[in-house]
Every structure is written in C-alpha cells, then in structure tokens.
Amino acid sequence: MTHNGTERLTARQTVARRCRAVTEARWFAVAVFGLILANAVVLGVETYASVVHRWQDELKLIEYGFLAAFTVEILLRAGAHADRPKGFFRDPWNLFDLAVVLSAFLPAVRENATVLRLLRLARVLRAARFLPQLRIVLAAVARSLPGTVSFLLVGALLLYVYAMVGWVFFADDDPEHYGSLGRAVLTLFLLMTLDGLGDIVRDGLEISRWSILYYASYVLLASFVLVNVLIGVVITSLDEARELERDELAGNEPDPPAAEAADSRDRELRDRIAEARRALDELEGSLERLPVPRANTTEGSAPSASGNT
C-alpha cells in the first residue's frame, strides 16, 4: 500500500473512531429519541387548523430544525462506518433512516404536502430503533409474514367455499347478506370476528333449522382454528425474534468465561516464556564461568626431543 493510501486509511479510522464515540454514547441515543418524540408532538399539533394558521412560520422553522438534526444524525452514523462502509448498508435500520432523511430533500416530495406528512410520520417509526421490546415485536411481525401468507391463503379458500355454499342456500331468502358472492364473502368476513353472530344465526334459523350446522362449522373453523393458528405463528415468531436479539447482544459482548480462559492462557504462556529466558540466562552464565583450556607447547615438545636423542 502506498504512503497516500495508508494516510487515507488512517484518516478514515480516525473519523470512524470519533463518530463511534458519539453515536455509541448514551446521551446521543437519548437526544435522538427526544427529537423523535418532539417531532411526533409537532405532527399532532399541526392537526389543529387554528394552531397552524397562527404559528405557520414557526412550525416551518421547527420542521427545518428537525430535518437538520436528523441529517446530522445520519451523517454521524455513516461516519462511524467510514472504515467499513459496507457495514453501514447491512443494517436495515440505517437504510430506513437514510431513506427517510434523503426523501425529505427530493423536490417531488417537498411539493406534495400529503407525502411530506407521511414521510414525517415515518420518522416516528424510528423510535423502534431505541426501544428493544418494540424492535423485537417488529422483527417478530416480519418473521411471521411467511406463515401469515399461508394463513391468508387458507382463510381465503375457506371464505370462498362457505360463501358459495351460503349463496346456494340463502341467496333467495336473504339477498341482503348472500345475494352475490361479494356480499356473502363480506358477511362471512365480519362473522369471522363474531360481529352480529346472534342476528345472522336467528335469520338463518328462520330459513332452515339446518343452517345452524353451517354457521357452527364456519365459526369453529374460521374464528377458533384459523385465528388460533395465526396467534401461534406470531407467538413463535416473537420467541424467535427474542432469541435473535439475545444472540446479537451476546455476540456484541464478550463472554466472561471465554475471556477469563483466554487471559489465563496468555498468562501461562508469558510465564513459560519468562522461565525459558531465565534458563537461557543461567546457561549463558554457567558457560562464562567455565575455565578456558590452554595448549602447553613447551612441555609437549621436550619429551619428543629427548626421545629422539
């Protein structure tokens, strides 16, 4: 890596570290949550025409202030990922916040008062980011969508079959409720919530005593079986969302036993290295204290000379 590339990387890391110090602070989360609540209060105040007429300029100034504050917030969150930009876009909440803030600067949105109000209302949903329990509920709803789709398909099939049966048997005598397939579906859909069950059953008994079987079987399947199945799907998804939230929190926080084991291994390794160094020092000292042997050439040559003589 070149020198300039290293400087750019270091600068990004510095920016990310400083931004994370702000975004991970508790006061930052409290301040943003307070801004979201204040934005919700202002939206509620704007539903009163007399207040809007009297404080129109002040309310616009407050809205610009909210927009500026939320823009600074998303910039700080993006800056916290300066050293790893892909991590910013992997978080769905960051994408939602970015879409809400950037949409407010689009001319087409600012010129449409209805869309702008809906966009400002979407900011209130950002409160879920700072409320773990609400975040779990939203995650559970999202995870329950596949099961909910299956429930809707089964419910639609049940409605269609019972609506056709009701049209066949009750269309002539009760055209108000079963005169067409659409009316029969609407009647049975309301009956699924047990709304007006007594009146409809009484009208059916006046037509035929066997109508009690029709209504009893429908209420049993639609109001009890299907609704309880839907509740079971949502509760299961809620438990799964809690587990995921718990796993994410556990992944962000170090495991105390694992951390203690790692520290213990590090200390043991350092102790062994220190012992090896002491052993080497002692060995070097022992070698230095040994006497150095010297060759005695005079005494070695005399016997050789006398021997030759």
Side-chain angles (χ1 to χ4, degrees):
M1 184 179 293
T2 62
H3 182 67
N4 292 334
T6 305
E7 289 182 351
R8 286 196 296 269
L9 182 59
T10 305
R12 289 179 182 178
Q13 292 175 347
T14 303
V15 171
R17 185 171 60 254
R18 292 179 178 178
C19 291
R20 276 197 295 269
V22 175
T23 57
E24 294 177 359
R26 181 173 179 80
W27 66 265
F28 181 80
V30 173
V32 175
F33 186 70
L35 283 173
I36 293 173
L37 293 182
N39 179 66
V41 171
V42 172
L43 283 175
V45 169
E46 289 181 354
T47 59
Y48 296 92
S50 58
V51 175
V52 174
H53 180 73
R54 182 176 180 180
W55 305 96
Q56 184 175 5
D57 296 335
E58 288 79 1
L59 290 174
K60 285 185 178 180
L61 185 61
I62 292 174
E63 165 58 18
Y64 291 147
F66 282 140
L67 182 58
F70 289 131
T71 302
V72 172
E73 180 215 355
I74 199 64
L75 289 176
L76 286 173
R77 293 191 184 279
H81 293 79
D83 54 342
R84 41 187 176 87
K86 292 182 180 179
F88 177 80
F89 296 99
R90 289 196 185 100
D91 189 351
W93 286 109
N94 288 337
L95 296 178
F96 177 75
D97 295 346
L98 184 63
V100 170
V101 172
L102 290 182
S103 299
F105 292 96
L106 298 178
V109 174
R110 299 196 64 82
E111 293 174 0
N112 192 322
T114 302
V115 176
L116 186 60
R117 287 193 184 97
L118 293 176
L119 183 64
R120 294 172 61 192
L121 183 61
R123 296 177 188 168
V124 181
L125 296 177
R126 300 179 62 230
R129 181 176 193 140
F130 306 96
L131 299 175
Q133 295 300 325
L134 182 56
R135 190 167 59 246
I136 290 174
V137 171
L138 293 178
V141 171
R143 293 183 64 85
S144 66
L145 288 179
T148 304
V149 171
S150 301
F151 165 82
L152 292 176
L153 292 175
V154 175
L157 180 61
L158 184 70
L159 273 177
Y160 179 80
V161 171
Y162 271 85
M164 288 298 297
V165 173
W167 176 78
V168 169
F169 287 101
F170 306 125
D172 295 335
D173 298 310
D174 192 4
E176 181 180 357
H177 295 104
Y178 296 96
S180 63
L181 179 62
R183 289 190 176 187
V185 168
L186 179 60
T187 299
L188 293 175
F189 181 77
L190 296 176
L191 189 60
M192 187 182 296
T193 63
L194 303 180
D195 183 29
L197 176 62
D199 296 335
I200 292 179
V201 171
R202 279 193 295 269
D203 294 340
L205 289 175
E206 293 178 358
I207 299 173
S208 172
R209 290 178 299 177
W210 297 102
S211 64
I212 190 65
L213 295 178
Y214 171 81
Y215 289 113
S217 62
Y218 175 76
V219 169
L220 180 63
L221 292 174
S223 296
F224 295 128
V225 175
L226 284 181
V227 172
N228 285 315
V229 167
L230 178 62
I231 293 173
V233 169
V234 174
I235 291 177
T236 302
S237 301
L238 187 60
D239 292 337
E240 293 177 354
R242 285 199 187 99
E243 291 293 333
L244 288 176
E245 186 79 10
R246 193 177 300 114
D247 292 341
E248 289 180 0
L249 292 176
N252 293 333
E253 296 179 358
D255 189 9
E260 292 178 0
D263 292 341
S264 178
R265 288 193 298 269
D266 291 341
R267 285 194 299 269
E268 184 178 356
L269 181 60
R270 286 194 296 268
D271 292 341
R272 290 182 178 180
I273 293 174
E275 291 178 0
R277 286 178 177 174
R278 284 195 298 269
L280 287 174
D281 293 339
E282 292 176 359
L283 180 59
E284 289 178 357
S286 300
L287 292 176
E288 290 176 356
R289 287 193 296 271
L290 289 176
V292 180
R294 291 177 294 178
N296 193 347
T297 57
T298 306
E299 296 178 358
S301 58
S304 176
S306 60
N308 292 334
T309 306

